[in-house]
Amino acid sequence: MRAFKNLLVTGGAGFIGSNFIRHVFRKTGFTGRIVNFDALTYAGNPHSLDDVATAFGERYVLLRGDIRDASAVREAMNRFDIDGVVHFAAESHVDRSIVGPDAFVQTNIVGTFNLLQAARERGGAMQLFHHVSTDEVFGSLGPEGWFSETTPYSPHSPYSASKAASDHLARAFHDTYGLPLTVTNCSNNYGPYQFPEKLVPLMIMNALEGKGLPVYGKGLNVRDWLHVEDHCDAIWQVATRAADGQTYCIGGHNEMRNIDVVTRICALVDELAAPLASGEPRSSLIKHVADRPGHDLRYAIDASKIAADLGWKPSFDADSGFKSTVRWYLDNVAWTDSVRSGEYQKWISENYETRK
Ligand code: NAD
Ligand code: TYD
């Protein structure tokens, strides 16, 4: 069992990173300090951890920094005597990678390289580098079968190609330099604090406001949906208990077609929120729009290795997970308003220097 004293979490102001930091402080008995190293891009929202900053005082440090800046990364690791890294920071949205792939190469590949170099330079002080990755590196499945730890890489989007490159670099640093490493490849997450460019929060927030719900193509693409809390638990189990060098696939055993996800969200918003002024059900807002180029048909995960080795399994099913998520977006209007209005970015520019 690894017990970290000073954990560097990159991208901790994003969706999964912020849930992970809260999970570690509140659910695991962790007694050390977490340094959240985050560039605070459009996807980084410091308000997502307001409660943690208040409750955990000096044990939680938000450090605005860019993983593309090798000296900033090195300085942070040495200054805070970092003995473990959990690396979330990334450009994470496939649609943005299609429009502008440069940032994906710089952050996801070069940024990961900078972190690996700095972690390696800390020698025996570094207990573990945990690299957080995606199932999208494996490409697309047909109607049958699952991705597992032995599936060959076959990424299609600039996002998944950049994540694949970062996975290979991480493993190369383990194999070549002996950097203690674990890797996880996870399916699509949903839950609180997700930026509303991704399918689930976009549909919830648009459905609430009576706006159109854009479904790409026929909506028949399948994703394996995992509640973010289950992902965070899996990462913590791997980071603290897995053997050096191991990779784990993480998934929710919860495959759904996009059209079914959107229809379910519409029904939940109808159930939990005030009806639309028109009296129509929210499903009437669904609009089939042009498909995403290179759109992967199906992702699904065989998570039997992490179940066998570490006893991990998801705790949310689709009913409990989606219902509690819709309720969270209804109940947390301060957060959704700050994201919708861009107010959180104003806070960033008032409290931190502008990003280089
Ligand atoms: P996100 O976009 O919500 O958050 C990314 C965070 O990284 C933000 O806080 C952003 O400010 C920060 N960041 C971006 N560029 C940076 C840079 N150059 N330097 C420092 N910080 C930077 O992403 P997410 O959905 O929370 O995903 C986190 C990680 O998990 C990513 O590595 C992603 O590939 C992986 N992942 C995501 C999913 C998913 O469904 N969201 C599934 C599997 C794996
Ligand atoms: P997304 O949340 O962007 O995650 P990823 O592309 O990493 O899987 O999209 C999930 C699925 O939903 C994907 O098949 C694309 C589709 N989608 C839509 O149909 N409409 C949308 O507005 C968005 C954002 C995604």
Side-chain angles (χ1 to χ4, degrees):
M1 180 93 185
R2 297 179 192 91
F4 301 104
K5 287 201 180 71
N6 293 304
L7 199 56
L8 189 82
V9 174
T10 70
F15 165 48
I16 309 176
S18 61
N19 279 282
F20 178 77
I21 291 173
R22 179 174 298 98
H23 174 86
V24 172
F25 275 127
R26 293 202 187 276
K27 303 258 175 82
T28 67
F30 174 72
T31 56
R33 174 167 57 181
I34 292 182
V35 178
N36 175 4
F37 189 90
D38 196 302
L40 302 177
T41 68
Y42 78 94
N45 185 349
H47 292 317
S48 299
L49 286 165
D50 282 347
D51 61 314
V52 167
T54 304
F56 295 93
E58 290 178 359
R59 290 179 55 210
Y60 170 68
V61 177
L62 173 61
L63 193 62
R64 190 176 198 196
D66 195 320
I67 60 171
R68 297 172 304 174
D69 180 346
S71 56
V73 165
R74 188 178 298 116
E75 207 266 324
M77 283 202 203
N78 293 334
R79 177 172 152 209
F80 290 98
D81 194 19
I82 294 300
D83 60 353
V85 176
V86 180
H87 174 36
F88 293 96
E91 292 289 342
S92 69
H93 191 38
V94 173
D95 291 333
R96 284 181 191 258
S97 83
I98 293 167
V99 179
D102 300 32
F104 289 72
V105 171
Q106 294 307 323
T107 286
N108 299 0
I109 306 178
V110 179
T112 300
F113 170 72
N114 291 335
L115 284 162
L116 291 164
Q117 281 279 51
R120 174 189 161 212
E121 283 167 17
R122 288 195 49 75
M126 186 61 66
Q127 295 191 61
L128 186 76
F129 188 104
H130 179 75
H131 179 64
V132 179
S133 192
T134 164
D135 61 354
E136 303 192 25
V137 298
F138 300 123
S140 184
L141 290 164
E144 303 289 325
W146 293 273
F147 299 133
S148 77
E149 292 77 7
T150 55
T151 304
Y153 276 37
S154 179
H156 295 139
S157 71
Y159 164 66
S160 54
S162 68
K163 290 297 291 186
S166 69
D167 293 12
H168 291 317
L169 275 172
R171 293 199 182 96
F173 270 65
H174 173 267
D175 297 348
T176 308
Y177 306 116
L179 179 71
L181 178 83
T182 47
V183 179
T184 46
N185 295 90
C186 187
S187 62
N188 286 63
N189 284 212
Y190 68 95
Y193 302 104
Q194 187 167 29
F195 193 79
E197 63 183 354
K198 304 282 168 61
L199 182 72
V200 170
L202 180 71
M203 296 299 149
I204 296 173
M205 288 168 72
N206 279 11
L208 270 171
E209 291 181 38
K211 290 185 180 163
L213 307 177
V215 170
Y216 299 162
K218 295 194 168 118
L220 302 180
N221 305 65
V222 172
R223 300 292 182 262
D224 173 0
W225 291 96
L226 180 72
H227 194 280
V228 66
E229 181 64 23
D230 284 325
H231 187 192
C232 293
D233 176 36
I235 291 171
W236 186 247
Q237 297 303 327
V238 171
T240 53
R241 294 169 53 217
D244 180 17
Q246 289 293 313
T247 288
Y248 288 98
C249 283
I250 305 169
H253 306 295
N254 186 28
E255 287 177 51
M256 292 174 73
R257 301 183 312 176
N258 292 339
I259 189 68
D260 298 328
V261 172
V262 176
T263 307
R264 183 182 287 236
I265 288 171
C266 288
L268 284 165
V269 177
D270 284 339
E271 180 190 328
L272 299 171
L276 288 177
S278 65
E280 295 282 315
R282 257 86 178 184
S283 54
S284 65
L285 301 168
I286 292 174
K287 290 185 181 20
H288 290 274
V289 299
D291 208 352
R292 174 187 278 172
H295 198 171
D296 288 337
L297 177 66
R298 176 172 165 260
Y299 304 144
I301 290 273
D302 170 2
S304 54
K305 181 181 169 192
I306 188 169
D309 286 5
L310 303 175
W312 176 87
K313 60 177 172 34
S315 62
F316 287 86
D317 58 26
D319 285 340
S320 60
F322 280 105
K323 189 162 188 169
S324 62
T325 299
V326 170
R327 208 186 288 281
W328 188 88
Y329 285 87
L330 287 172
D331 290 348
N332 287 272
V333 180
W335 187 87
T336 50
D337 279 355
S338 86
V339 170
R340 236 191 310 246
S341 65
E343 183 271 330
Y344 71 104
Q345 298 226 293
K346 190 165 151 259
W347 186 93
I348 291 167
S349 61
E350 282 166 4
N351 286 274
Y352 291 93
E353 285 170 37
T354 313
R355 184 180 182 209
K356 282 188 209 113

